[in-house]
Amino acid sequence: MPLARAAQTDTLAVSTLAEDREAPTQTLPVDRSTTLPPRRADAERLRELAAQREFQYREAKTELSFWERFWNWLWEWLGKISSTKQGRTTWKYGFYAALAGILVFAVLKLLQVDIGGVFGRKPRRSTLPYDVTGENIHEVDFPTRIAEAEAAGDFRLATRLGYLAILKTLTDQGLINWQPDKTNQTYLHELSNGALRNSFREATRQFEYVWYGELPLTAALYQQVRADQRAVTAPLNGRRPSTLAPTA
Amino acid sequence: MPPPFNSDMEPENTLPTPENPAPAAPETAEVSFAPRTNFARLTARTEAIRQEIGKIIVGQQDLLELLLTALLADGHVLLEGVPGVAKTLMAKLLARTLEVPFSRIQFTPDLMPSDVLGTSVFQQSKSDFEFRPGPIFASVVLIDEINRAPAKTQAALFEVMEERTVTQDGTTYRMTEPFLVLATQNPVEQEGTYRLPEAQLDRFLFKLHVGYPTTAEEVQILQGHHVGFGGTDLNVVQPILSAADLQALRQQVREQRVEVNILEYIAKIVGQTRAHKALYLGASPRASLALLNGAKALAALRGRDFVTPEDVQFLAPSVLRHRIMLTPEREMEGGTPDEVVKQIIQTIEVPR
């Protein structure tokens, strides 16, 4: 047993566990002869350190902004409300009401119901913003501009203006639904069968040859084009505008 | 409001027919509004192709018009449709109407680039390597189930589809004209297929959807099958166009008139795909060129020597649907490229 042997050789109060139970414990003598000088920090160095920012443990009191004070007040107030019985009841029913509102909104959204009308907002006519870069046919003074183009000998432009004037007339009469993205063939498709459709088809054909096909027009040929264009709109003079009912 | 690219619209203008060709030189005011290019031959040949193919295929008139447009516009076509809607048959029949060399490649997962392009073989008698051209060396190449080959084999098609050349061992081989790739793919099957790289998709002029026939058309298919006791003899389809004929018709198409506002209209449509919030990838300038070339060919097919916005609107979905990529959010919402193209067209004013 090495521990027991060590206890026998030294003067230390070390014993085996068995000895602990049987023999009294010996204490070590306290050394009072050695004098230890106390160590003291350099006062100058302490002052220097204390002046440094890292050792300034007291936080400067920051001024709260209006917005922070508002939120502090709000949370405090809400906490105060919820601590009362009446407040807790209000919170509970408020939460149920909000949940019901979210559910109703989600259902209406899924059904694609326009709820803007409830607040008096008119439903959007089209979800797409049209990039109308050209002239608005409802604002153009066609007779004047056609006369100017004819005077300048620009029969191509005059043909175009004449065709746009037809589209304006048909729109005003409620016979076609003017949209900037529609092609001439789409308008032709919107017209019901009959003389008007035939005359519009011919005017469209001529316009496309002149405008897209860059067909050079003589004065005589232009007169025929204008006559055909007038033939489209002449029967509509004095006609009462109808409610638009496109065929498609 | 009818869709802007409605296929059953009022027939445009008076189309010249083989029996009643358009007058080449107008004399009076009444006949001045007629094509200044004589499309009689083009109309006659394309009508004959329609009739030959119509001997076997029932319906699919819009698809056939778009295929003829691509043929005249010198562009490759990707046909997409579920199994059994006659994609391969349509491509084979179109190839039969052309008097040009035809080859068919069935794409499989183990297909190698050399199986398509060709390979150099050592000739002992000459003590040298000799290039053996692959099946791609034909005028009309039908690539069936193109999405079944892996990316490295797809990449082998990049050069030949765009530059019409094949480079092997430092030597460049030029394809003979015409060179047309008709590829088919099935959109629903995912097992054992690879999505085509964007670079390759961009090389197709059109991606065409092959849909189901109507009930009446299906009854007609059944009647034809019943009377013929189940067999389909492709030999009844006769060749119509030679390579030289096709080149001449393509030259007419190249000379079509395009007004500057139409060019601007095409650029606006394609440009809008790059700014649309539902799109992750917009179309490249190659798409603008494809739309222009396609519109010129379509105008010629419809008997006009100039392009109208109608042509552009009609072709825009076929040109753009495979060149744009939806954002993941739009895809999850169930959006399709065709819907986005339609929206874009609706936002741009028709030049008039």
Side-chain angles (χ1 to χ4, degrees):
Chain A
M1 185 179 280
L3 193 60
R5 271 201 303 277
Q8 288 165 2
T9 52
D10 294 332
T11 56
L12 292 172
V14 178
S15 64
T16 61
L17 290 173
E19 286 169 334
D20 279 346
R21 281 193 297 271
E22 290 160 11
T25 310
Q26 293 176 352
T27 51
L28 287 171
V30 179
D31 179 11
R32 297 186 190 282
S33 59
T34 310
T35 316
L36 291 172
R39 290 179 64 192
R40 297 196 187 283
D42 181 25
E44 183 60 29
R45 176 68 179 150
L46 273 179
R47 267 196 300 279
E48 188 187 314
L49 287 171
Q52 287 180 13
R53 193 170 170 272
E54 288 78 7
F55 296 95
Q56 303 293 321
Y57 295 118
R58 263 177 297 180
E59 291 277 342
K61 211 171 184 181
T62 51
E63 194 66 31
L64 290 178
S65 67
F66 170 76
W67 197 235
E68 286 166 333
R69 272 184 289 151
F70 167 74
W71 281 113
N72 286 347
W73 169 82
L74 183 71
W75 290 121
E76 240 172 67
W77 180 71
L78 289 174
K80 214 180 283 177
I81 288 177
S82 59
S83 63
T84 63
K85 191 184 172 190
Q86 196 182 0
R88 277 196 293 275
T89 312
T90 311
W91 272 117
K92 193 169 77 175
Y93 289 112
F95 175 76
Y96 289 150
L99 201 65
I102 291 167
L103 275 173
V104 168
F105 180 77
V107 169
L108 288 176
K109 271 286 177 195
L110 285 172
L111 296 173
Q112 296 186 335
V113 175
D114 187 4
I115 53 175
V118 176
F119 307 106
R121 183 173 62 82
K122 285 183 182 172
R124 279 173 290 182
R125 191 168 153 271
S126 166
T127 54
L128 299 164
Y130 286 108
D131 178 22
V132 183
T133 51
E135 62 268 73
N136 183 347
I137 61 165
H138 298 287
E139 292 172 357
V140 178
D141 180 4
F142 285 110
T144 309
R145 286 199 57 193
I146 289 171
E148 285 170 2
E150 285 172 350
D154 192 347
F155 298 132
R156 185 166 179 254
L157 178 61
T159 302
R160 172 179 175 264
L161 290 166
Y163 187 73
L164 291 178
I166 293 174
L167 293 180
K168 181 185 180 302
T169 307
L170 294 176
T171 307
D172 292 344
Q173 293 286 334
L175 296 165
I176 61 169
N177 185 9
W178 165 263
Q179 291 284 332
D181 65 292
K182 286 185 182 177
T183 63
N184 302 334
Q185 294 300 317
T186 314
Y187 292 130
L188 188 58
H189 187 72
E190 285 180 10
L191 291 174
S192 51
N193 277 318
L196 179 64
R197 188 176 191 173
N198 290 336
S199 58
F200 181 69
R201 182 189 292 119
E202 181 59 20
T204 300
R205 194 173 76 90
Q206 293 175 353
F207 162 72
E208 290 188 341
Y209 265 93
V210 174
W211 191 246
Y212 303 127
E214 296 170 331
L215 183 76
L217 282 181
T218 59
L221 195 55
Y222 172 70
Q223 289 307 321
Q224 189 206 323
V225 169
R226 280 301 289 154
D228 288 342
Q229 287 183 345
R230 286 192 195 99
V232 179
T233 52
L236 302 175
N237 290 337
R239 179 181 177 275
R240 283 176 61 194
S242 62
T243 309
L244 180 67
T247 53
Chain B
M1 172 181 159
F5 28 83
N6 195 345
S7 58
D8 62 353
M9 279 187 176
E10 178 77 11
E12 281 183 67
N13 308 332
T14 308
L15 295 184
T17 59
E19 297 77 26
N20 183 24
E27 287 170 4
T28 66
E30 185 59 34
V31 294
S32 290
F33 295 103
R36 287 146 286 183
T37 308
N38 191 344
F39 288 126
R41 191 168 55 159
L42 185 145
T43 310
R45 296 296 167 91
T46 52
E47 189 54 39
I49 290 175
R50 284 179 210 265
Q51 283 176 4
E52 288 300 315
I53 292 178
K55 288 177 182 172
I56 291 180
I57 299 260
V58 177
Q60 307 281 19
Q61 288 306 308
D62 282 354
L63 175 69
L64 188 51
E65 184 175 44
L66 288 164
L67 277 172
L68 289 171
T69 304
L71 182 69
L72 292 174
D74 195 7
H76 311 297
V77 179
L78 176 62
L79 294 163
E80 187 177 83
V82 294
V85 288
K87 302 184 294 292
T88 307
L89 183 61
M90 177 67 95
K92 278 164 69 178
L93 292 179
L94 181 67
R96 285 192 74 88
T97 60
L98 307 174
E99 279 184 291
V100 293
F102 167 73
S103 76
R104 174 189 171 143
I105 314 170
Q106 188 72 39
F107 268 32
T108 54
D110 61 346
L111 197 75
M112 300 296 285
S114 57
D115 297 332
V116 177
L117 303 178
T119 187
S120 293
V121 178
F122 185 73
Q123 290 283 13
Q124 210 161 12
S125 57
K126 296 177 186 171
S127 295
D128 200 2
F129 282 93
E130 190 181 87
F131 179 66
R132 292 258 175 94
I136 199 75
F137 284 85
S139 285
V140 178
V141 182
L142 168 59
I143 300 178
D144 206 19
E145 305 269 3
I146 191 170
N147 56 341
R148 290 199 181 272
K152 67 178 175 187
T153 311
Q154 304 287 354
L157 297 171
F158 287 2
E159 182 191 353
V160 70
M161 285 180 72
E162 180 60 23
E163 296 164 42
R164 315 284 169 107
T165 57
V166 172
T167 305
Q168 282 275 316
D169 299 330
T171 308
T172 300
Y173 303 92
R174 182 159 290 282
M175 311 299 290
T176 53
E177 290 292 334
F179 176 66
L180 173 67
V181 173
L182 298 170
T184 68
Q185 73 171 9
N186 170 4
V188 288
E189 210 165 338
Q190 299 298 317
E191 184 69 28
T193 61
Y194 301 85
R195 195 176 182 278
L196 296 190
E198 302 308 323
Q200 187 178 0
L201 285 170
D202 202 28
R203 282 159 167 78
F204 285 102
L205 180 76
F206 296 153
K207 179 181 176 183
L208 305 179
H209 288 316
V210 187
Y212 291 113
T214 61
T215 307
E217 287 169 351
E218 198 147 354
V219 169
Q220 210 179 329
I221 292 168
L222 292 171
Q223 279 176 339
H225 185 82
H226 176 63
V227 171
F229 301 104
T232 306
D233 184 12
L234 300 190
N235 291 324
V236 296
V237 175
Q238 298 300 314
I240 302 293
L241 268 182
S242 68
D245 285 340
L246 184 57
Q247 292 299 84
L249 298 185
R250 283 178 174 177
Q251 185 56 35
Q252 277 194 324
V253 167
R254 279 192 282 270
E255 290 166 4
Q256 289 281 70
R257 289 172 176 80
V258 187
E259 210 248 333
V260 68
N261 287 314
I262 299 284
L263 298 177
E264 200 179 321
Y265 185 53
I266 291 172
K268 276 183 183 174
I269 291 174
V270 175
Q272 195 66 32
T273 64
R274 298 166 201 155
H276 201 281
K277 63 180 179 183
L279 295 179
Y280 170 71
L281 177 73
S284 67
R286 193 186 275 151
S288 305
L289 295 171
L291 198 47
L292 172 66
N293 292 336
K296 285 161 77 171
L298 184 66
L301 264 180
R302 292 178 172 182
R304 273 184 279 104
D305 58 1
F306 57 90
V307 173
T308 64
E310 195 84 38
D311 303 322
V312 177
Q313 286 193 1
F314 182 77
L315 293 180
S318 304
V319 170
L320 296 174
R321 64 167 65 104
H322 55 296
R323 293 180 157 103
I324 56 177
M325 275 174 74
L326 297 179
T327 57
E329 297 84 22
R330 190 57 173 252
E331 259 191 310
M332 280 190 284
E333 287 167 7
T336 62
D338 281 18
E339 278 173 10
V340 177
V341 172
K342 192 175 173 182
Q343 277 182 3
I344 287 172
I345 288 172
Q346 284 176 336
T347 59
I348 299 171
E349 186 176 356
V350 165
R352 188 181 282 120

